[in-house]
Amino acid sequence: MAQKKKALITGVTGQDGSYMADFLLAKGYEVHGLVRRSSSFNTGRIDHLYGGTVQESEDFFMHYGDLTDTNSLIHIIDKCRPDEVYHFGAQSHVRISFDIPESTAQITGVSTLKLLEALRIVSSKTKFYQASSSEMFGKAREIPQKETTPFYPRSPYGIAKVFAYWTAVNYREAYGMFTCNGILFNHESPRRGENFVTRKITTGIAKILAGKQKKIYLGNLDAKRDWGYAPEYMDAAWRMLQQLEPDDYVVATGEMHTVREFAEEAFRVAGIPDWEKYVEVDPRYYRPAEVDVLVGDASKTKEKLGWESKVKFKELAEIMVKADCEKQGIKLKEV
């Protein structure tokens, strides 16, 4: 009987980490998740793995660790001996990175260096996926953005991600390690954090319909983004580590929409035509340096990995609004 592949996922309690765990368990992997010790439980996105089938429970393990502590990373890697590592752990909110820039640099940027150094010491043949971000393009030098587009980050988060990106490239070139950067454009789902704009809109709508909230306060409504569906993007991440040679890939839909358009579509799904009555712009949510246009060209990913997005903008908004409304006990009519 063939031995199961092992994967270690950092940030396993987040949106991407939890979907990656689902995906890999379905592929027959033994999955290890790195979680940060906290005084409160933050395992809502992976609770179903414990309450699921016996098979899932037997193949999923959690380890307490700290991305800023090299010794804990070495210990966990030595214990797990993973075939693949998916590094999603980060301070991932762009606006908040302006408030805590040093912490963001450590957790989002330097953690990649510590994790790769731990792998180099303990398990250098392990394949490594770095969760890179479209925010690295920032003040984009071309539209759409592709793998060769120069970086121009506009936030501490984007800067930290650029550091992590080049660290992964350096360990690939200096030590021959199998490291891949997945440059993922915005990807959303019902598991997206509630302080991210798309989820802020869909949870707000559900609470408005439930009579628990009157308005939604947002920042820049004119920011243009390329929004995809998070579970699909995890498939692309996995495909990168199944190739014969490591490389870097843009993962995107190729479609661009404003925050305003997302709000309008989400309210339409909820059956509320006069959406502007419920949305107010609050300057507190503007970034000190704005990123106006992000849209990706995933041609290389389609050609080399055979991956392309299926869930598009309108379907994504519908999935998210319906999920948040169901949490409030509201069943929407079909639109």
Side-chain angles (χ1 to χ4, degrees):
M1 184 176 174
Q3 192 172 7
K4 286 178 180 288
K5 267 190 173 182
K6 292 183 184 178
L8 173 64
I9 302 171
T10 71
V12 74
T13 58
Q15 170 187 256
D16 290 4
S18 64
Y19 280 125
M20 196 79 238
D22 289 343
F23 181 88
L24 294 175
L25 287 166
K27 289 276 185 190
Y29 279 65
E30 178 180 301
V31 176
H32 297 259
L34 178 68
V35 291
R36 183 182 49 193
R37 173 69 180 93
S38 172
S39 58
S40 58
F41 287 109
N42 182 32
T43 58
R45 296 182 181 93
I46 56 173
D47 282 348
H48 64 284
L49 298 181
Y50 295 106
T53 67
V54 173
Q55 186 67 30
E56 285 175 327
S57 299
E58 288 180 349
D59 289 338
F60 181 71
F61 306 89
M62 288 206 301
H63 306 268
Y64 286 109
D66 187 334
L67 289 172
T68 65
D69 180 356
T70 306
N71 282 336
S72 79
L73 297 176
I74 288 173
H75 174 72
I76 289 166
I77 291 165
D78 188 43
K79 187 177 180 181
C80 299
R81 294 285 170 165
D83 299 290
E84 299 168 4
V85 171
Y86 295 88
H87 182 33
F88 297 110
Q91 190 299 101
S92 60
H93 198 285
V94 177
R95 175 63 192 84
I96 292 171
S97 76
F98 285 98
D99 300 326
I100 50 170
E102 187 176 335
S103 173
T104 299
Q106 287 293 328
I107 298 167
T108 306
V110 178
S111 72
T112 300
L113 174 64
K114 295 189 178 210
L115 192 50
L116 280 167
E117 185 64 5
L119 282 170
R120 185 184 71 82
I121 293 166
V122 179
S123 183
S124 64
K125 298 301 182 188
T126 296
K127 294 183 175 183
F128 181 84
Y129 170 84
Q130 166 60 22
S132 289
S133 168
S134 59
E135 286 289 334
M136 300 188 304
F137 297 122
K139 192 174 182 179
R141 313 314 282 165
E142 62 181 349
I143 299 172
Q145 295 90 49
K146 52 184 180 288
E147 291 81 5
T148 54
T149 303
F151 299 140
Y152 194 147
R154 298 266 282 170
S155 66
Y157 171 80
I159 293 165
K161 282 293 188 182
V162 170
F163 177 89
Y165 172 95
W166 285 116
T167 299
V169 171
N170 184 250
Y171 271 70
R172 182 167 72 213
E173 294 178 353
Y175 304 115
M177 292 172 66
F178 195 110
T179 64
C180 294
N181 282 291
I183 308 172
L184 272 58
F185 281 65
N186 290 61
H187 45 290
E188 319 296 313
S189 75
R191 295 185 193 174
R192 187 62 141 152
E194 291 186 17
N195 57 353
F196 288 85
V197 66
T198 52
R199 190 78 197 291
K200 193 174 182 181
I201 291 167
T202 61
T203 55
I205 288 171
K207 289 176 181 177
I208 287 168
L209 289 173
K212 297 178 180 178
Q213 189 172 317
K214 291 184 177 178
K215 292 208 177 244
I216 302 170
Y217 296 90
L218 302 173
N220 182 11
L221 297 180
D222 297 316
K224 296 176 181 176
R225 294 292 184 269
D226 183 329
W227 279 302
Y229 187 41
E232 291 186 344
Y233 284 37
M234 298 307 100
D235 178 17
W238 174 78
R239 290 182 188 219
M240 292 176 205
L241 298 197
Q242 311 316 307
Q243 304 306 301
L244 292 176
E245 298 293 334
D247 206 345
D248 308 316
Y249 300 89
V250 161
V251 181
T253 70
E255 291 185 8
M256 182 170 58
H257 297 275
T258 62
V259 173
R260 188 187 308 276
E261 286 177 87
F262 189 92
E264 186 175 5
E265 181 60 26
F267 273 93
R268 187 192 70 81
V269 170
I272 305 173
D274 48 350
W275 68 275
E276 287 166 310
K277 281 173 36 180
Y278 301 94
V279 173
E280 280 196 22
V281 172
D282 187 332
R284 288 179 299 175
Y285 296 118
Y286 276 85
R287 301 176 186 177
E290 284 290 338
V291 172
D292 298 319
V293 179
L294 291 177
V295 58
D297 177 359
S299 301
K300 176 181 173 181
T301 305
K302 181 180 179 181
E303 179 190 342
K304 293 200 169 184
L305 303 185
W307 180 94
E308 61 182 319
S309 66
K310 296 182 179 65
V311 174
K312 302 300 184 184
F313 179 74
K314 288 191 174 185
E315 187 181 351
L316 175 63
E318 184 177 346
I319 288 169
M320 293 178 68
V321 171
K322 285 184 174 178
D324 278 323
C325 285
E326 283 176 15
K327 287 182 180 176
Q328 296 293 333
I330 298 165
K331 186 163 179 65
L332 297 174
K333 295 177 183 176
E334 293 299 319
V335 292

